[in-house]
Amino acid sequence: TVDLGDIENVVIAHFGVTSNDLHGKSRERTIANARQMCMYLARHLTQHSLKEIGTFFGGKNHSTVVFATQKVARQMQDNLDDKVLVQQLERQLTQQG
């Protein structure tokens, strides 16, 4: 099974951000995109609630997780590169065990 720490590590490696970035309040585009990707992956690969995911990634509320999930889903529809990236990250996470 995939846990939130696994997702965090894979996203950190890909986006070149730090754990503090993901858990912080920065709205810098690179960091925000990485955090949103974490939330999307957490929503789709774990059984954690919206609140648990939001709390893990910097004390965000559940509506922030919903927004992040919807935004990444829209990006995947609009951009093939984004879709391929999400698929690669999901594959990486599900094949770790």
Side-chain angles (χ1 to χ4, degrees):
T1 59
V2 177
D3 71 18
L4 297 176
D6 295 334
I7 292 170
E8 179 180 7
N9 291 333
V10 165
V11 170
I12 285 171
H14 178 78
F15 284 89
V17 297
T18 67
S19 180
N20 286 343
D21 289 338
L22 292 180
H23 295 278
K25 300 207 178 293
S26 174
R27 291 185 175 186
E28 183 183 319
R29 177 170 281 159
T30 306
I31 295 169
N33 286 344
R35 189 182 301 123
Q36 289 168 342
M37 182 65 69
C38 284
M39 291 178 183
Y40 176 89
L41 293 168
R43 193 72 184 124
H44 285 86
L45 299 177
T46 73
Q47 297 297 312
H48 290 286
S49 70
L50 294 168
K51 183 176 175 153
E52 290 169 333
I53 294 167
T55 299
F56 184 83
F57 290 108
K60 308 293 188 263
N61 65 38
H62 75 281
S63 61
T64 302
V65 180
V66 170
F67 174 81
T69 302
Q70 291 172 342
K71 182 176 178 200
V72 172
R74 268 194 317 275
Q75 287 173 321
M76 289 170 59
Q77 280 184 324
D78 297 343
N79 186 331
L80 183 59
D81 291 340
D82 288 338
K83 183 175 185 172
V84 170
L85 170 61
V86 171
Q87 290 170 340
Q88 287 173 340
L89 295 175
E90 286 177 341
R91 207 171 309 116
Q92 223 176 317
L93 285 159
T94 55
Q95 292 176 356
Q96 282 183 352

